[in-house]
Amino acid sequence: MSTFLAVDFGAGSGRVIAGRVSGGQLGLDELHRFPNRQVRLGGHVYWDFPALFEEMKEGLRRAAAKYADVESIGIDTWGVDYGLVDRAGNLMGNPLCYRDASTADTPEEVFARIDEAAHYAETGIQVMPINTMFQLYARKKENEAWLREARHLLFMPDLFAYYLTGVPGNEYCIASTSELLDARRRTWNMSLIRELGLPEHLFGELLEPGTVRGTLCPEVAAEVGLSPGVKVVAVGSHDTASAVHAVPFRKGKEAVSAFLSSGTWSLLGVALDEPVLTEEARRAGFTNEGGVGGHIRFLQNITGLWILQCLVRQWETRGWRAGYDFLIAEAEQAEDVSSIDVDAPDFKHPADMEKAIADYCRVRGTKVPVTQGEYVRCVLQSLAERYRMGIQQMNALLPRPVECLHVIGGGCRNRLLNRLTEEATGIPVLAGPVEATAIGNLLVQAEACGKIKNKNEIQIII
């Protein structure tokens, strides 16, 4: 037996999960769960990287205390955000959070210099102000000298791995979220990087999922109680890449199955062998991100359960009843509710989400929700309608229409949303696995360490 550790950082929380493969099955053991907070400081919004690193080490300590056979560690996080490391190996400040407002107007500035359609035909990435390309362009305007002093640009999973091993490198899946790769060649788009005036030396070796990044630094190993020989494996380091690796897709070349990674964000798409870089795909808001095993995740980034999560936090602050079981039951009884555009700017980061929904409906002359159940039903029904639109747009770009939808991640527990989605799309909705990200992460490690011999064995385990 060997134990593999998946370190999974989400935008709201993180956890360390142990996995053990035996007899065609994967056992999971959650060892440590911890919050992830965004910190507003001096006009910017940051991630507290040192605190997150310490929480990860606590998870590794618990693993060392429970399992004597830890073989490797794999790390996945959300996309686009990064840290800078100087030539001495020091972190140059806490990483900025993608919800920082400093990049809001940057796309307009960038596309005054380069053609947006031609850019998409190379990168295949949906334009969003949060993307790394725009973050870096904004930092260059703010302090170009500081950016040039950096030695390595490391995306969040790369950064955690660097301080575990001392070895820099950029995993392909997470790097693909940057909007700085050539989608066809799957390499850094150096002509674009030069055009934007970004320091070329920041962009390091691209690592495929399954590559061993290195082993634990002796000092880290001693601190957490693990062997210095424990490997750190580059998994599908973007959490959605790991999650999609764990989807039990239908077999056969003729079957077209879509995935919906359901959480704070909704990632709706299909796994393809090659990117789709047409103008139609760009206008429909599709992105081409790297996947495990050479796949392209052709998907749309949709606002997911973020709106509902904000409502729940507000109601909890007021002392109202806000458990999900209660709210879903109330929503099932609600009728004749309005719909909202879940991707509208109104719902990105309002001070009061309930008021934002009410104002949105009032301005458009539609029924304003009154009860908690009506608010929840409005959000879930609107998400289902957005998924229907996304699948219709996908069908217009694929050779064959999507025949079923796999919902994975924590959102697949929401039975009402699953039912509304099935009714809206008219195709079967299959729920699970809930722990898709951890499963995909662990399976890449097990294969890299030789404990899984072939792809068929992976499908049997899933």
Side-chain angles (χ1 to χ4, degrees):
M1 292 286 287
S2 295
T3 300
F4 308 99
L5 302 179
V7 184
D8 173 31
F9 291 98
S13 66
R15 64 258 180 88
V16 177
I17 297 178
R20 291 161 72 83
V21 177
S22 177
Q25 294 188 339
L26 174 66
L28 302 179
D29 179 13
E30 184 175 299
L31 300 169
H32 185 44
R33 181 178 286 268
F34 48 89
N36 183 9
R37 297 179 302 169
Q38 301 161 19
V39 181
R40 186 173 296 278
L41 182 69
H44 285 300
V45 181
Y46 299 91
W47 299 109
D48 190 351
F49 177 79
L52 292 176
F53 193 81
E54 189 58 39
E55 293 286 5
M56 176 177 65
K57 287 194 294 184
E58 174 59 25
L60 300 184
R61 289 187 192 97
R62 296 185 186 189
K66 189 169 184 178
Y67 298 104
D69 55 2
V70 173
E71 186 158 347
S72 69
I73 301 165
I75 304 165
D76 65 75
T77 77
W78 64 96
V80 307
D81 290 339
Y82 63 92
L84 296 174
V85 174
D86 68 17
R87 295 181 185 278
N90 299 311
L91 181 64
M92 298 174 66
N94 270 327
L96 283 172
C97 172
Y98 62 82
R99 294 197 183 277
D100 185 73
S102 62
T103 61
D105 300 324
T106 309
E108 291 182 13
E109 296 183 40
V110 170
F111 292 122
R113 300 181 56 164
I114 62 176
D115 181 78
E116 186 172 352
H119 170 74
Y120 183 86
E122 290 183 349
T123 65
I125 298 296
Q126 176 189 9
V127 170
M128 294 191 294
I130 67 174
N131 290 350
T132 318
M133 181 177 81
F134 301 117
Q135 291 194 41
L136 286 169
Y137 192 81
R139 297 293 78 74
K140 173 176 172 285
K141 286 176 52 186
E142 189 177 81
N143 192 339
E144 185 173 359
W146 178 73
L147 195 61
R148 292 193 176 278
E149 287 173 6
R151 180 64 186 89
H152 303 292
L153 179 145
L154 299 173
F155 299 98
M156 293 305 293
D158 303 327
L159 193 64
F160 286 106
Y162 175 73
Y163 284 109
L164 286 181
T165 65
V167 181
N170 300 124
E171 188 273 324
Y172 162 65
C173 297
I174 197 76
S176 71
T177 69
S178 68
E179 206 171 332
L180 290 167
L181 293 193
D182 184 304
R184 285 196 179 89
R185 296 186 177 89
R186 308 186 190 198
T187 58
W188 292 114
N189 189 332
M190 296 310 296
S191 62
L192 172 63
I193 288 167
R194 284 190 285 270
E195 173 65 27
L196 297 175
L198 302 176
E200 296 178 39
H201 68 268
L202 291 179
F203 304 93
E205 178 187 4
L206 290 174
L207 307 174
E208 288 294 326
T211 304
V212 176
R213 291 179 179 268
T215 57
L216 288 181
C217 295
E219 59 272 22
V220 174
E223 189 177 352
V224 301
L226 290 172
S227 164
V230 171
K231 296 183 280 289
V232 177
V233 176
V235 296
S237 298
H238 186 210
D239 49 14
T240 310
S242 278
V244 171
H245 188 51
V247 174
F249 285 122
R250 290 182 179 181
K251 294 183 178 180
K253 294 183 179 179
E254 299 304 315
V256 179
S257 301
F259 63 82
L260 172 63
S261 181
S262 180
T264 302
W265 289 89
S266 290
L267 293 305
L268 175 67
V270 292
L272 302 176
D273 292 329
E274 297 294 334
V276 180
L277 304 175
T278 62
E279 180 63 7
E280 292 78 12
R282 182 184 76 85
R283 291 186 179 279
F286 281 92
T287 199
N288 295 266
E289 295 175 353
V292 177
H295 289 129
I296 294 292
R297 292 174 290 125
F298 181 62
L299 58 86
Q300 288 182 335
N301 289 284
I302 301 168
T303 300
L305 293 169
W306 161 254
I307 299 174
L308 179 57
Q309 290 165 352
C310 289
L311 289 172
V312 168
R313 284 195 291 270
Q314 280 185 238
W315 294 334
E316 287 175 339
T317 301
R318 295 176 192 169
W320 293 8
R321 191 174 178 185
Y324 278 96
D325 289 344
F326 165 74
L327 293 175
I328 296 302
E330 291 292 297
E332 286 175 332
Q333 303 303 315
E335 297 180 353
D336 188 30
V337 297
S338 301
S339 292
I340 59 174
D341 175 5
V342 296
D343 292 324
D346 311 56
F347 310 119
K348 294 297 182 188
H349 205 63
D352 184 328
M353 186 63 79
E354 186 180 293
K355 182 177 183 298
I357 294 172
D359 289 347
Y360 182 95
C361 294
R362 194 175 292 113
V363 165
R364 288 157 181 79
T366 59
K367 182 180 177 181
V368 176
V370 176
T371 66
Q372 287 175 279
E374 288 179 353
Y375 273 99
V376 175
R377 182 65 177 250
C378 167
V379 172
L380 298 184
Q381 182 173 292
S382 300
L383 281 171
E385 291 173 0
R386 177 62 181 86
Y387 301 154
R388 174 189 56 78
M389 183 177 75
I391 287 177
Q392 287 179 340
Q393 292 172 319
M394 216 178 328
N395 287 342
L397 297 166
L398 298 175
R400 288 174 55 85
V402 171
E403 298 170 3
C404 73
L405 177 63
H406 292 269
V407 184
I408 54 176
C412 80
R413 291 190 177 106
N414 192 319
R415 291 179 177 272
L416 177 56
L417 179 56
N418 292 342
R419 177 169 64 80
L420 293 172
T421 300
E422 188 166 83
E423 291 172 357
T425 60
I427 59 176
V429 170
L430 308 177
V434 175
E435 296 289 0
T437 300
I439 292 170
N441 179 322
L442 292 164
L443 289 176
V444 170
Q445 293 184 63
E447 187 177 13
C449 294
K451 303 303 180 183
I452 293 177
K453 303 301 182 185
N454 56 58
K455 305 299 181 187
N456 186 53
E457 189 176 349
I458 289 178
Q459 287 303 312
I460 291 171
I461 292 170
I462 292 171

